Amino acid sequence: MHPKNITRKTLYDLVWSTPMSKLAVQFDISYSRLKNICKKSNIPLPNNGYWQKIKYGKKVVKPDLPKTTTKEEEVLLFRTGIGEKVIPTFKNALQERAYQLQTDPSLNFKVPKKLKQFHSIVLTTKKEMEGTDNSEAETRLYDRHHKEGILHILTDEKTTPRALRFINTLIIVLEQLNGSIMFEYKRCYVQMFGHTAEINLRQKFHRVRNKTERGWSHNSWVKTNKLEFQVGPNFRQKKWLDTEKRKIEECLPEIVAHIEQECKYWHDLRKQQAEDKKREEIERAKAAEIQRAIEIELARTKQLLVDSENWEKANTLRKYIRAYELKGVEKGLNSEELESWVEWSNRKADELDPLLQSENKSSS
C-alpha cells in the first residue's frame, strides 16, 4: 500500500483499526512521520494499552474526529511527487555510509555466480588452495592461513569457489575506493587512509560438547556450509555470518563501510594525536623560552647586585689606600715600599671595580 495522498477521514478510520506501527509499514513511511501527520491534521490517536484492551475484549473509548475549517475531502500528502526517491532513516553513520555505497552506480557489489577474471591476489590464493588437501587436516589449513601473500580464506573444496567470488568482488570495490590489500607478519590487511584493518574469511565451525561413557567431556567441531567474514583483531573484531535471511554477499556495502570507518577512525585519531603532540611541543617550547627569560632576568639582577657591592667595595678600598698613603708619608715610611704597595692596592681595587672591567671589555 503506497498511497500518494489520503483523506483525513480515511486516515482517522485506519489509525483506529490498525496499529500505527503496522500502518506505517503499509504506507512505507516511518512511525514518527505518520504520527506527525496525524498530529498536524488534528487526528486523535489510540492511547497506550488500547490494542491490549481490544485483544481481551475490554471496553475502550474512541473519540470522534474533530471538525476542521477545511473541507472533509482535503487530502494529506504522503509523497512529494511521482517518482520520488524515498531515502530511509539511519540509526548511525555506518548505516548511512553503507546506503551511499550501495546506491553508488560506479560500484558493483553484486557477486557473480562465476568468475571470468580473477584479481591477481585472488588468483594466487586460488592456486595455493588448489594445491592444498584440506579435506580433513586442520593443521594444513592453518599453515595455508599463515603463508605470506595469501588471502586468509579457510574453506573446504565445496565453499571455496563462493569464498573466492566474494573476496574478489570485495577487493575490486575497495580498490575503486582507493583501498588496497597488503600482507604483514603473515596477516592480511586492507589499507585505507594510511591505516589498516585485518580481514579473514572462513568457513564456520560449531563447537559441540560430547561426553564419554565415563562422564568425561570433550569438544568436537562440526563443519557447516556457512561463511563468516571478520574485520579487525580478536579483541575488537566485527563479524558477518551467513544466516537464513541474509548471506554475507548482501552485507558487502556494510562491510566496506565498516572497513572505511575503522581505517578512518585510526587515521583521524593518529592525525589528532600528531596535532596534539605538535601543539604540546609548541607549548613546551614557549614555556621553556619563558623559563629561560626568567632565568636570564634573575641572573642579570643577581649580577647587578654583585656589581654594586663590588663597586662599593672598590671605592671603600681606594679611600683606605689614600688614607694609608697619607699616614705612611706622615710616619716617614720607605717611599719605594709605600709607592709599590699603593700601586699594587690600586690595581686590586681596579680589578674589583665593575665599571673599569666593562671599559676594559669594550676596548678589547
Side-chain angles (χ1 to χ4, degrees), residues 207-210 217-221:
R207 184 175 64 178
V208 178
R209 294 183 64 86
N210 301 312
S217 63
H218 66 280
N219 297 327
S220 61
W221 298 89

Side-chain angles (χ1 to χ4, degrees), residues 125 129 134 138 141-142 144-146 150-164 166-167 170 187-188 198-207 221-234 237-243 247-249 255:
T125 304
M129 294 175 73
N134 55 12
E138 293 183 6
L141 282 174
Y142 179 85
R144 185 185 74 212
H145 181 79
H146 285 77
I150 303 298
L151 292 168
H152 290 192
I153 301 177
L154 299 179
T155 53
D156 61 12
E157 186 177 354
K158 183 178 179 181
T159 56
T160 292
R162 180 187 165 209
L164 293 174
F166 171 85
I167 203 74
L170 175 63
R187 295 180 182 274
C188 181
E198 186 179 353
I199 60 171
N200 296 284
L201 179 60
R202 67 175 188 172
Q203 191 169 348
K204 183 66 176 176
F205 280 72
H206 291 303
R207 184 175 64 178
W221 298 89
V222 179
K223 180 174 63 178
T224 70
N225 292 325
K226 294 181 179 180
L227 290 179
E228 182 180 50
F229 187 77
Q230 304 169 339
V231 176
N234 291 332
Q237 200 172 66
K238 174 70 175 177
K239 302 178 182 180
W240 289 265
L241 177 65
D242 282 335
T243 63
K247 302 297 183 183
I248 61 170
E249 286 84 350
I255 291 172

Side-chain angles (χ1 to χ4, degrees), residues 237-341:
Q237 200 172 66
K238 174 70 175 177
K239 302 178 182 180
W240 289 265
L241 177 65
D242 282 335
T243 63
E244 294 181 359
K245 294 182 179 181
R246 194 184 188 197
K247 302 297 183 183
I248 61 170
E249 286 84 350
E250 301 173 50
C251 304
L252 269 172
E254 182 182 334
I255 291 172
V256 174
H258 178 80
I259 294 174
E260 268 191 344
Q261 186 184 68
E262 186 77 1
C263 294
K264 188 71 165 55
Y265 167 79
W266 289 108
H267 169 270
D268 293 344
L269 180 63
R270 296 291 181 257
K271 182 180 178 182
Q272 185 62 47
Q273 288 175 341
E275 291 175 354
D276 293 343
K277 183 178 179 181
K278 185 177 181 180
R279 186 168 55 252
E280 289 173 1
E281 289 175 352
I282 292 173
E283 291 175 355
R284 280 199 296 269
K286 288 181 179 179
E289 188 66 27
I290 293 171
Q291 184 62 31
R292 281 195 296 271
I294 293 172
E295 291 174 357
I296 291 172
E297 186 67 18
L298 289 173
R300 290 180 65 187
T301 303
K302 184 178 180 181
Q303 187 62 45
L304 178 62
L305 295 173
V306 171
D307 289 345
S308 66
E309 291 175 359
N310 289 339
W311 179 80
E312 186 70 30
K313 290 177 181 178
N315 288 329
T316 302
L317 186 59
R318 290 189 184 100
K319 291 179 181 179
Y320 171 75
I321 295 169
R322 181 62 180 163
Y324 186 88
E325 184 181 9
L326 293 173
K327 193 69 175 177
V329 172
E330 182 183 340
K331 288 183 177 182
L333 297 177
N334 187 298
S335 59
E336 290 183 3
E337 291 180 357
L338 181 60
E339 185 178 348
S340 175
W341 181 86

Side-chain angles (χ1 to χ4, degrees), residues 87-244:
I87 300 177
T89 55
F90 307 103
K91 293 182 179 179
N92 49 53
L94 180 65
Q95 287 187 357
E96 184 176 3
R97 179 55 180 160
Y99 176 80
Q100 292 172 354
L101 292 170
Q102 190 172 12
T103 54
D104 188 339
S106 64
L107 302 175
N108 183 14
F109 286 95
K110 186 176 181 181
V111 178
K113 294 183 179 180
K114 186 176 181 180
L115 275 180
K116 295 181 180 180
Q117 186 174 2
F118 288 87
H119 190 280
S120 58
I121 298 176
V122 179
L123 184 60
T124 303
T125 304
K126 179 177 180 294
K127 291 179 180 179
E128 176 65 27
M129 294 175 73
E130 288 174 347
T132 304
D133 179 13
N134 55 12
S135 56
E136 297 294 340
E138 293 183 6
T139 54
R140 294 181 184 177
L141 282 174
Y142 179 85
D143 293 340
R144 185 185 74 212
H145 181 79
H146 285 77
K147 282 192 175 181
E148 195 70 38
I150 303 298
L151 292 168
H152 290 192
I153 301 177
L154 299 179
T155 53
D156 61 12
E157 186 177 354
K158 183 178 179 181
T159 56
T160 292
R162 180 187 165 209
L164 293 174
R165 294 196 305 271
F166 171 85
I167 203 74
N168 196 83
T169 304
L170 175 63
I171 292 175
I172 291 174
V173 171
L174 288 171
E175 289 184 346
Q176 286 181 277
L177 296 170
N178 299 321
S180 61
I181 299 295
M182 62 170 291
F183 301 92
E184 190 174 29
Y185 304 114
K186 296 185 179 182
R187 295 180 182 274
C188 181
Y189 300 88
V190 175
Q191 186 177 46
M192 300 183 82
F193 305 105
H195 289 268
T196 59
E198 186 179 353
I199 60 171
N200 296 284
L201 179 60
R202 67 175 188 172
Q203 191 169 348
K204 183 66 176 176
F205 280 72
H206 291 303
R207 184 175 64 178
V208 178
R209 294 183 64 86
N210 301 312
K211 282 190 176 182
T212 62
E213 295 179 356
R214 295 185 177 183
W216 297 99
S217 63
H218 66 280
N219 297 327
S220 61
W221 298 89
V222 179
K223 180 174 63 178
T224 70
N225 292 325
K226 294 181 179 180
L227 290 179
E228 182 180 50
F229 187 77
Q230 304 169 339
V231 176
N234 291 332
F235 65 90
R236 58 191 305 268
Q237 200 172 66
K238 174 70 175 177
K239 302 178 182 180
W240 289 265
L241 177 65
D242 282 335
T243 63
E244 294 181 359

